[in-house]
Amino acid sequence: MITDIAAWLLDPSNWTGDEGVLRQAWLHLLYCLFAVCAAALFAVPLGLYIGHTGRGSVFVVGFSNAMRALPTLGLVTGLAVLFRGSVALAALVVLAFPAVLSGTYAGVRAVPSQAVDAAKGMGMTSKQRLWQVELPNALTLLMGGVRNAMLQVMATTAVAAYVGLGGLGQLLIEGQTIGRYDQMASAAILIALLAVLVDLALAGLTWLLVPRGVTLTAANTGARPRGRRKQR
Amino acid sequence: MIEFRSVRKQYDDGTVAVQELSLTVPVGTITVLVGPSGCGKTTLLRMVNRMIEPSSGTVLVDGDDVRDSDPAGLRRGIGYVIQQAGLFPHRTVRDNVATVPRLFGHSRRDARRRAEGLLERVGLPAELRKRYPVQLSGGQQQRVGVARALAADPPVLLMDEPFSAVDPVVREGLQDELLRLQGELGKTVLFVTHDIDEAVKLGENVAVLRQGGYLAQYAPPEQLLAEPADDFVTSFVGRDRGYRRLSFVDSDGLVPGPVDTVRIGDTSADVPSQAEWVLVLDPHDRPRGWLPPGAPIHGQLTEDQLIAGGSLHTSGAPLRGALDAALSAPSGLGVVVDEDGVHLGVVTARQVLDILESRRHPAVTEGAVQ
Ligand SMILES: Nc1ncnc2c1ncn2[C@@H]1O[C@H](COP(=O)(O)OP(=O)(O)OP(=O)(O)O)[C@@H](O)[C@H]1O
Ligand SMILES: [Mg+2]
């Protein structure tokens, strides 16, 4: 079995061509990036707004709980089958949305209240406070939300193949149809591997984005999610 | 000048934090708000920069109703040190301080230069400038907080328990530094603390607040200690107030007496009779410690043969220092020094008490003069 999988993976003809691993992996990656970026485009501003003003925080909690209760795979498949084609990508966007939203929201709420108070007290406007204090300090949790979203989307994008969009899921479905279990297993491994690589890349991006002082603070306070300095 | 005119604050849940309170903070002085936890000090302080709006009454800064200015602009012109410093974790020490000049539109370079000057002024070592707040001790953070509040050179400074999170020794250092800075800068400072010692040390005027936001007494510290307005102030001012009051009693008429002295490095031949305690000086005549009566000296006198001295009384400083010097010295003789730390003579506790006694009967003294 393992040798079968290895043989499949090592066969160059499986990698190239229109239906090959490289192209499918590329599509897979594109869909995921698109879905998470599109979700972030809406979820980050919304999360920042709700975190900053405190208005609508009930919505965030309720919304993400509701999303957690939904059978996401079923939802995505349903949407994909219903709408077919590239509209199915919208389902992936919906899937990525709550993780990014709640990560952003939690990030803003976890900014040390004293820093926010000091920012206000020194005469920062509401906007300056958001951009100069809340956002930089929220980045760790915000990026955590993005990574969560990406993992979920990565796993679910296999469904995109059902509606003819391709991606690594294509290899999976194909393998099932023609009874090639080595191909199915290989596809599953590749999906997992791609997810790990992308997560690593995002970890690197997080490291680049999060200001050093914030990282140090988190390390020093035992990465408590509330992020407040220890008293003394 | 900061003026509270019958301000009152009732929070949405019905808590009355400040009760119809009027108070004037004179220009160029430190005024301290002191009182037990929850008595409304922070609430009162934050009304000045509109972090909290009073339910009724008016707050004036330099004669202008604060409600007439837009909050952000008003706050930029008022320095504010919040409890526990509240530094920005994501910015270096220098950039924390540079934040306010940046808000005023200065270039990054100018803002940083100004920040460096201020950090030096509050006594933060230059090598700490590029650190992040989490890499500083509590006391260092407090200094940065003060530097940041001073960054726009505001005429008015609000400080909310700025030194409460540090140990007593560091706190004392920070207090001295604040007094020194205030001597240079002459800001109008409103300072909140729940520590009566700190209030008495720093304040030119002290407002004692009582639970529920009542002003119990507003007076210069010496008056507060001498004539507490009521039982609450009496108990709040505490047990040692007689002793503390000596901080405000000048030491005029206290004449240091002579004492036998030797220098470090002298041999037993140089030492006088040794029937009494002998004060040991360094080559610059600064006191180093004491030799007990009859103590043997082997060879040259070195530091480790000495008994540590007590506190020193600087000539002209208040009587509290003189009494403490006498009480803390192993010989019972308080060492008096000049501004440079050079030995002038010694005083006994008896002398201090005699001065106090003689001032208590001024009629007798005056009679003697006439
Ligand atoms: N936002 C708020 N809502 C309701 N009550 C409040 C609020 N802020 C403060 N209080 C109450 O108002 C009173 C005064 O609070 P304040 O913070 O001014 O006290 P404080 O003198 O600064 O105390 P501490 O020394 O503990 O800092 C307290 O009883 C407090 O519980
Ligand atoms: Mg307070």
Side-chain angles (χ1 to χ4, degrees):
Chain A
M1 181 72 197
I2 290 179
T3 45
D4 290 348
I5 297 169
W8 194 93
L9 283 174
L10 289 173
D11 182 353
S13 68
N14 286 333
W15 285 77
T16 51
D18 257 7
E19 305 274 286
V21 167
L22 286 180
R23 188 177 147 70
Q24 302 295 22
W26 172 240
L27 281 178
H28 203 103
L29 187 64
L30 272 188
Y31 296 151
C32 294
L33 285 179
F34 168 80
V36 172
C37 287
L41 210 59
F42 297 100
V44 170
L46 186 63
L48 288 178
Y49 174 81
I50 296 175
H52 178 69
T53 60
R55 255 175 260 156
S57 41
V58 187
F59 166 76
V60 177
V61 179
F63 182 68
S64 38
N65 282 343
M67 285 302 290
R68 216 166 288 153
L70 276 180
T72 46
L73 195 68
L75 173 80
V76 175
T77 322
L79 278 173
V81 170
L82 269 179
F83 295 109
R84 310 219 50 91
S86 41
V87 181
L89 281 178
L92 293 179
V93 177
V94 172
L95 180 64
F97 192 83
V100 180
L101 177 66
S102 53
T104 307
Y105 168 77
V108 176
R109 299 311 287 181
V111 178
S113 59
Q114 286 155 0
V116 178
D117 198 56
K120 196 171 171 189
M122 70 170 58
M124 282 194 187
T125 60
S126 176
K127 219 157 105 191
Q128 288 169 328
R129 221 153 60 225
L130 175 63
W131 289 112
Q132 298 187 30
V133 180
E134 289 173 330
L135 181 60
N137 284 292
L139 280 173
T140 315
L141 290 180
L142 189 159
M143 286 305 292
V146 169
R147 284 169 72 178
N148 274 340
M150 184 59 91
L151 282 176
Q152 273 171 277
V153 170
M154 276 271 163
T156 315
T157 300
V159 185
Y162 275 115
V163 290
L165 282 176
L168 289 171
Q170 183 75 35
L171 298 172
L172 208 69
I173 295 165
E174 206 181 85
Q176 195 179 20
T177 328
I178 58 174
R180 288 284 304 267
Y181 294 105
D182 52 347
Q183 178 174 337
M184 284 180 73
S186 299
I189 290 171
L190 287 169
I191 291 172
L193 195 68
L194 188 63
V196 169
L197 287 179
V198 169
D199 194 50
L200 277 179
L202 284 178
L205 184 64
T206 305
W207 187 83
L208 285 178
L209 284 180
V210 175
R212 214 169 85 77
V214 175
T215 317
L216 286 170
T217 308
N220 208 50
T221 48
R224 283 191 295 162
R226 275 278 141 203
R228 284 178 54 145
R229 281 267 296 136
K230 262 182 271 184
Q231 305 282 308
R232 274 207 264 181
Chain B
M1 189 168 79
I2 306 169
E3 217 181 326
F4 297 94
R5 285 199 192 149
S6 355
V7 291
R8 177 187 147 85
K9 177 67 190 182
Q10 181 162 19
Y11 284 107
D12 293 340
D13 65 356
T15 313
V16 178
V18 175
Q19 197 71 259
E20 290 283 328
L21 193 150
S22 296
L23 188 73
T24 302
V25 177
V27 175
T29 65
I30 299 182
T31 298
V32 178
L33 299 174
V34 67
S37 189
C39 68
K41 307 181 291 292
T42 298
T43 304
L44 198 58
L45 186 82
R46 285 162 73 91
M47 286 180 186
V48 178
N49 61 357
R50 294 188 67 184
M51 294 293 277
I52 291 175
E53 303 282 357
S55 310
S56 63
T58 327
V59 181
L60 303 155
V61 174
D62 289 332
D64 300 323
D65 188 337
V66 294
R67 269 172 307 194
D68 294 341
S69 357
D70 106 276
L74 176 78
R75 290 173 196 147
R76 255 173 275 155
I78 296 177
Y80 182 31
V81 186
I82 75 166
Q83 208 170 332
Q84 307 268 329
L87 301 181
F88 301 140
H90 63 297
R91 289 191 174 162
T92 60
V93 163
R94 183 176 62 172
D95 286 344
N96 258 280
V97 180
T99 304
V100 183
R102 292 283 287 149
L103 289 180
F104 275 101
H106 291 284
S107 72
R108 183 178 301 257
R109 250 186 65 220
D110 289 350
R112 284 188 167 164
R113 193 171 318 131
R114 168 138 190 87
E116 283 170 7
L118 279 162
L119 286 168
E120 192 177 318
R121 192 150 219 181
V122 299
L124 196 85
E127 65 267 22
L128 301 184
R129 283 174 197 158
K130 288 187 183 162
R131 289 214 192 159
Y132 289 94
V134 70
Q135 298 168 309
L136 299 185
S137 72
Q140 290 165 341
Q141 290 187 24
Q142 304 283 13
R143 281 170 206 261
V144 179
V146 173
R148 189 172 64 174
L150 290 170
D153 198 17
V156 174
L157 205 55
L158 309 175
M159 308 180 88
D160 196 349
E161 307 203 22
F163 308 145
S164 60
V166 294
D167 65 70
V169 177
V170 174
R171 187 182 315 162
E172 205 154 304
L174 289 168
Q175 290 166 348
D176 291 337
E177 211 122 329
L178 178 67
L179 287 174
R180 181 183 59 77
L181 265 178
Q182 173 64 2
E184 291 171 18
L185 305 174
K187 305 283 185 193
T188 304
V189 182
L190 191 54
F191 188 105
V192 165
T193 180
H194 56 247
D195 176 357
I196 184 70
D197 278 314
E198 186 166 74
V200 163
K201 177 171 176 182
L202 296 178
E204 276 159 82
N205 291 291
V206 176
V208 184
L209 299 188
R210 186 154 51 87
Q211 207 69 39
Y214 296 93
L215 182 59
Q217 188 169 7
Y218 184 42
E222 51 271 45
Q223 192 183 337
L224 201 69
L225 295 170
E227 304 154 28
D230 56 22
D231 289 349
F232 169 76
V233 180
T234 308
S235 70
F236 189 75
V237 167
R239 216 178 265 140
D240 297 330
R241 77 184 157 97
Y243 182 61
R244 274 199 212 110
R245 232 186 97 203
L246 292 180
S247 301
F248 302 99
V249 180
D250 64 67
S251 55
D252 293 354
L254 184 70
V255 183
V259 66
D260 291 338
T261 61
V262 290
R263 283 204 172 70
I264 295 280
D266 284 355
T267 55
S268 50
D270 305 312
V271 179
S273 71
Q274 264 198 286
E276 302 285 339
W277 284 82
V278 178
L279 181 64
V280 184
L281 306 172
D282 71 5
H284 305 289
D285 280 351
R286 286 187 283 247
R288 298 301 312 158
W290 291 92
L291 272 183
I297 299 174
H298 311 289
Q300 288 197 325
L301 188 58
T302 54
E303 297 252 354
D304 50 318
Q305 296 175 46
L306 310 183
I307 293 184
S311 60
L312 300 175
H313 172 60
T314 307
S315 178
L319 271 185
R320 181 174 176 166
L323 184 58
D324 191 69
L327 294 179
S328 63
S331 56
L333 301 169
V335 180
V336 184
V337 294
D338 68 10
E339 249 95 73
D340 301 320
V342 172
H343 155 80
L344 295 175
V346 292
V347 294
T348 60
R350 177 86 263 152
Q351 279 176 275
V352 176
L353 298 181
D354 284 345
I355 286 188
L356 290 173
E357 206 54 45
S358 69
R359 290 196 192 157
R360 201 160 288 141
H361 305 288
V364 179
T365 325
E366 273 165 31
V369 170
Q370 275 163 7

